[in-house]
Amino acid sequence: MARSRVPILIMGVVLWCCLTTPAKAEYMKYKDPKQPIPVRIQDLLDRMTLEEKIGQMVQIEREVASAEVMKEYFIGSVLSGGGSVPAPQASAETWINMVNDFQRGSLSTRLGIPMIYGIDSVHGNNNVYKATIFPHNIGLGASRDPELVKKIGAATALETRATGIPYAFAPCIAVCRDPRWGRCYESYSEDPQIVQDMTDIIPGLQGGIPTDSPKGVPFVAGKNNVVACSKHYVGDGGTTKGIDENNTVIDWQGLLSIHMPAYYTSIMKGVSTVMISYSSWNEIKMHTNRELITGFLKNTLGFKGFVISDWEGLDRITYPPHANYSYSIQAGIHAGIDMIMVPYNYKEFIDGLTFHVKNNVIPMSRIDDAVRRILRVKFVVGLFENPLADNSLVDQLGSQEHRELAREAVRKSLVLLKNGQSLNQPLLPLPKKTSKILVAGSHADDLGYQCGGWTMEWQGFNGNNRTIGTTILAAIKNTVDPSTNVVYKENPNAEFVKSNNFSYAIVVVGEHPYAETDGDSMNLTIADPGPTTIRNVCGAMKCVVIIISGRPVVIEPYLASIDALVAAWLPGTEGQGVADVVFGDYGFTGKLPRTWFKTVDQLPMNVGDPHYDPLYPFGFGITTEPTTRQSDDNPFLSISSYFN
């Protein structure tokens, strides 16, 4: 009996050693940065449950996100909608801490798949206090300068990364064919070639794609760059009467030649994601259009990144929205949408999609395609190696270098439409040194009006207390000679104008901020009291009118009394760029990115149309040379106008 206990004792010791010796960690290919990305994707995909896969397809708003939610539901992405911030006037560090908190929840899951945070950095990191706000796309289209736009993309990437965010929902590559559309300022031009040229913002945002990079594969250069998103696929700028989210009636050839070219170019430049449009093409909702999403974008064009819905895009498949959400989930996922911007009711979406997969309504192959694409972008952007943001780029937010770049962009975006009542008597550039000048108009001293929609709030703001920048009035005061008396009166009456012996007047008027459907307009008028201000001032003295707007507006009724007319679009925070050109430190070089109509009854009207009869044609812009003239005694510049 005693001898039989020895082997038992030995076996017990061996078993104890096995249980107490740390097990060697399992080698996981997806965690190895030396492995090729396709190998890492497949290894991770093979380990994932259905629940984990569906979680990756979900993007939720930060308001409903938490570390616990990220962990419990395996959420793949979080976003900030317009104006959704961690705190009023939040610092870059506050943003980083919020993003990292969500990320830690994701990293604590079984497989530790990092989430990706997205934000609408559409003209700079425009949700964030103190960020540089660049001109909206319509102004950049007027610059005709793709290299400038590329630099703006790089600066925007740095300011977005400064807040810990690696994903920007930009650029909008819509081709706006009707200025009545509330998103027209998000379009570079009515001309598809200009929009195509401006996709150079993508290598600015993501970094320049290597020459040997395979076509259609997403590319992000490093930690100073962000994932870009070409939007809104496809035809969003061609809706009937410019009504937002409406129907684009055009044949296949027209869709290919007008609305599709910038998508070809985006894919060639390695764009990582594509967002689907709310609009329809010939009555088929784009969020359900399998032919265009899976058939053309993915299969024909070879796009290998992920396709994302717009905000509540699935809900809007039906009318009224969310009327049959189960059908909407089925239709949207079947069409080829990979990530769903839910953004609030994520449990309902997860339950609905899970039901469809388990009941073989949506095949597992479609889920795997979506997750493979999402993981590809996450691997490409380096989230698995660097999931948590640090503070190394916080000084990039609103940096002086970026503000100087934005100021340059403002200068190059200005379009001079009229200069003097006759060609040999130009009013611009204005003298810096004179006795007294009048600055008038609702938009002269309002940073919010200057920036437009998608600035601090979804619909924009008014006033000067929401972010940092230079108003046009402040820029004028900075520029004129110290001896020049600048008098500002928002809406002076004619008697005030006549009785004050001003040398000249600068009137700054335009549209109030708006975004999306709220900006749809059938009359395209200057906001009150702008027309009254123009009549009172320009009817009494020499004046230059500067229009702050997201599109051409009705100006013909006032044109005869206006001595000089400048389209300044929505210039952003750096109003000094306006004064730089108006006072002659730089010349006017901008060209109209879209046709300026006489009356709204002519719309839609684009260059090449049979009924083309504009007030100012596409490509028009008077050019001037810079001058150092300081007083009224010096001669005015000679000028020339030319077209594209």
Side-chain angles (χ1 to χ4, degrees):
M1 292 292 294
R3 281 186 297 182
S4 67
R5 292 193 184 114
V6 175
I8 294 171
L9 182 63
I10 293 170
M11 286 174 64
V13 171
V14 170
L15 180 62
W16 181 83
C17 290
C18 290
L19 292 173
T20 56
T21 302
K24 186 177 180 180
E26 180 190 358
Y27 172 65
M28 297 184 180
K29 289 182 180 179
Y30 80 90
K31 291 188 175 182
D32 184 355
K34 295 179 182 177
Q35 290 286 346
I37 286 177
V39 172
R40 299 178 75 183
I41 293 170
Q42 192 60 51
D43 180 64
L44 180 50
L45 199 63
D46 290 344
R47 298 172 188 273
M48 294 173 73
T49 64
L50 175 61
E51 188 179 13
E52 288 165 333
K53 289 176 181 179
I54 287 176
Q56 284 301 300
M57 298 171 68
V58 180
Q59 185 178 69
I60 63 174
E61 222 288 331
R62 54 158 291 282
E63 292 177 4
V64 296
S66 67
E68 293 73 26
V69 167
M70 304 304 291
K71 181 178 181 181
E72 183 175 355
Y73 295 96
F74 310 104
I75 301 296
S77 184
V78 182
L79 85 152
S80 278
S84 179
V85 299
Q89 299 187 355
S91 66
E93 291 87 351
T94 299
W95 279 92
I96 288 168
N97 291 338
M98 176 193 69
V99 174
N100 282 348
D101 181 56
F102 298 150
Q103 189 67 282
R104 289 187 184 96
S106 296
L107 298 177
S108 69
T109 56
R110 182 178 72 94
L111 295 171
I113 303 172
M115 68 88 189
I116 186 166
Y117 198 105
I119 197 166
D120 283 286
S121 293
V122 296
H123 61 143
N125 194 1
N126 43 263
N127 266 319
V128 177
Y129 181 64
K130 290 187 178 180
T132 308
I133 307 299
F134 294 93
H136 267 298
N137 287 355
I138 190 169
L140 300 182
S143 77
R144 301 293 202 277
D145 191 339
E147 186 60 33
L148 171 69
V149 169
K150 183 177 179 181
K151 291 176 183 176
I152 289 171
T156 299
L158 285 169
E159 296 211 15
T160 303
R161 282 286 199 169
T163 53
I165 297 172
Y167 183 14
F169 304 129
C172 177
I173 53 173
V175 181
C176 176
R177 303 292 284 177
D178 194 323
R180 292 174 291 187
W181 186 37
R183 305 193 79 148
C184 202
Y185 63 80
E186 297 185 59
S187 168
Y188 293 107
S189 178
E190 71 187 45
D191 177 20
Q193 183 60 58
I194 291 175
V195 178
Q196 218 172 348
D197 293 343
M198 294 304 172
T199 59
D200 268 8
I201 196 170
I202 292 168
L205 291 163
Q206 296 191 159
I209 191 166
T211 53
D212 60 349
S213 183
K215 179 195 168 189
V217 175
F219 174 79
V220 180
K223 293 173 71 174
N224 291 353
N225 298 96
V226 294
V227 168
C229 179
S230 290
K231 65 183 188 183
H232 308 85
Y233 185 83
V234 57
D236 51 341
T239 58
T240 302
K241 296 184 179 179
I243 298 170
D244 192 36
E245 305 183 22
N246 209 322
N247 187 34
T248 297
V249 180
I250 195 169
D251 63 18
W252 175 240
Q253 194 55 47
L255 191 75
L256 288 182
S257 62
I258 295 173
H259 299 287
M260 198 68 80
Y263 287 97
Y264 314 149
T265 315
S266 295
I267 291 167
M268 295 300 291
K269 292 174 182 175
V271 74
S272 296
T273 71
V274 170
M275 186 182 292
I276 302 303
S277 176
Y278 288 130
S279 60
S280 303
W281 175 50
N282 296 334
E283 303 294 345
I284 300 173
K285 286 272 190 182
M286 275 307 308
H287 275 74
T288 70
N289 199 319
R290 181 175 172 82
E291 177 189 351
L292 282 178
I293 298 172
T294 297
F296 195 75
L297 179 64
K298 290 183 174 181
N299 295 342
T300 302
L301 297 184
F303 175 62
K304 301 294 193 296
F306 70 76
V307 175
I308 186 169
S309 82
D310 207 333
W311 177 281
E312 294 181 344
L314 293 197
D315 302 64
R316 301 190 201 188
I317 287 171
T318 60
Y319 186 82
H322 206 78
N324 186 346
Y325 196 53
S326 177
Y327 164 75
S328 295
I329 293 171
Q330 177 189 339
I333 301 299
H334 176 72
I337 302 173
D338 304 311
M339 182 177 282
I340 308 302
M341 194 183 292
V342 178
Y344 297 112
N345 299 321
Y346 57 91
K347 294 179 188 177
E348 182 183 10
F349 172 77
I350 290 170
D351 290 345
L353 183 53
T354 303
F355 175 85
H356 286 319
V357 175
K358 288 185 174 179
N359 287 276
N360 299 315
V361 176
I362 294 175
M364 198 67 202
S365 59
R366 173 74 273 272
I367 302 301
D368 286 347
D369 172 57
V371 177
R372 183 175 282 107
R373 290 166 177 276
I374 292 164
L375 294 177
R376 181 177 292 123
V377 171
K378 290 184 176 185
F379 280 120
V380 162
V381 78
L383 278 175
F384 282 82
E385 284 66 60
N386 297 291
L388 296 173
D390 58 37
N391 293 352
S392 61
L393 294 175
V394 295
D395 61 345
Q396 295 290 332
L397 189 69
S399 72
Q400 191 57 40
E401 181 182 355
H402 295 164
R403 292 189 183 278
E404 288 300 325
L405 178 63
R407 182 174 170 181
E408 177 189 353
V410 174
R411 292 195 294 261
K412 291 181 174 180
S413 71
L414 302 178
V415 180
L416 182 56
L417 298 173
K418 182 179 180 180
N419 194 13
Q421 296 296 351
S422 64
L423 281 175
N424 59 358
Q425 289 186 311
L427 179 61
L428 296 177
L430 295 171
K432 296 178 182 178
K433 187 173 184 180
T434 190
S435 57
K436 184 165 61 171
I437 65 173
L438 172 65
V439 179
S442 53
H443 289 55
D445 191 31
D446 195 304
L447 201 58
Y449 286 176
Q450 205 170 287
C451 291
W454 292 109
T455 311
M456 305 308 295
E457 300 283 351
W458 174 39
Q459 294 294 328
F461 68 98
N462 67 288
N464 297 326
N465 60 352
R466 293 296 305 275
T467 193
I468 305 299
T470 304
T471 67
I472 292 171
L473 175 64
I476 292 167
K477 290 179 176 178
N478 292 341
T479 304
V480 297
D481 188 88
S483 65
T484 300
N485 182 17
V486 178
V487 176
Y488 173 60
K489 196 166 182 66
E490 185 174 328
N491 187 29
N493 59 40
E495 183 56 36
F496 176 86
V497 177
K498 291 173 183 175
S499 62
N500 269 277
N501 198 30
F502 295 111
S503 302
Y504 56 82
I506 301 172
V507 178
V508 192
V509 293
E511 296 185 294
H512 292 163
Y514 54 80
E516 299 190 50
T517 306
D518 284 8
D520 286 357
S521 172
M522 293 299 113
N523 55 34
L524 295 178
T525 52
I526 293 169
D528 288 331
T532 303
T533 308
I534 293 172
R535 282 192 292 265
N536 288 349
V537 176
C538 298
M541 62 180 299
K542 281 187 176 179
C543 75
V544 52
V545 172
I546 299 171
I547 299 178
I548 305 296
S549 68
R551 53 202 165 185
V553 291
V554 174
I555 195 68
E556 190 184 34
Y558 327 112
L559 195 56
S561 65
I562 295 171
D563 295 286
L565 179 63
V566 177
W569 315 112
L570 298 168
T573 51
E574 306 314 302
Q576 191 64 49
V578 176
D580 286 344
V581 181
V582 168
F583 288 96
D585 291 328
Y586 294 81
F588 282 93
T589 58
K591 302 294 158 196
L592 281 181
R594 55 178 317 102
T595 300
W596 203 293
F597 57 87
K598 293 175 181 175
T599 71
V600 291
D601 296 334
Q602 297 174 294
L603 300 175
M605 179 175 63
N606 295 283
V607 63
D609 288 349
H611 65 290
Y612 199 67
D613 181 28
L615 181 63
Y616 296 109
F618 170 83
F620 179 80
I622 300 170
T623 60
T624 64
E625 295 296 326
T627 179
T628 55
R629 180 169 51 81
Q630 295 294 313
S631 73
D632 283 325
D633 298 329
N634 289 345
F636 285 102
L637 284 174
S638 63
I639 59 170
S640 63
S641 64
Y642 63 94
F643 302 90
N644 247 15

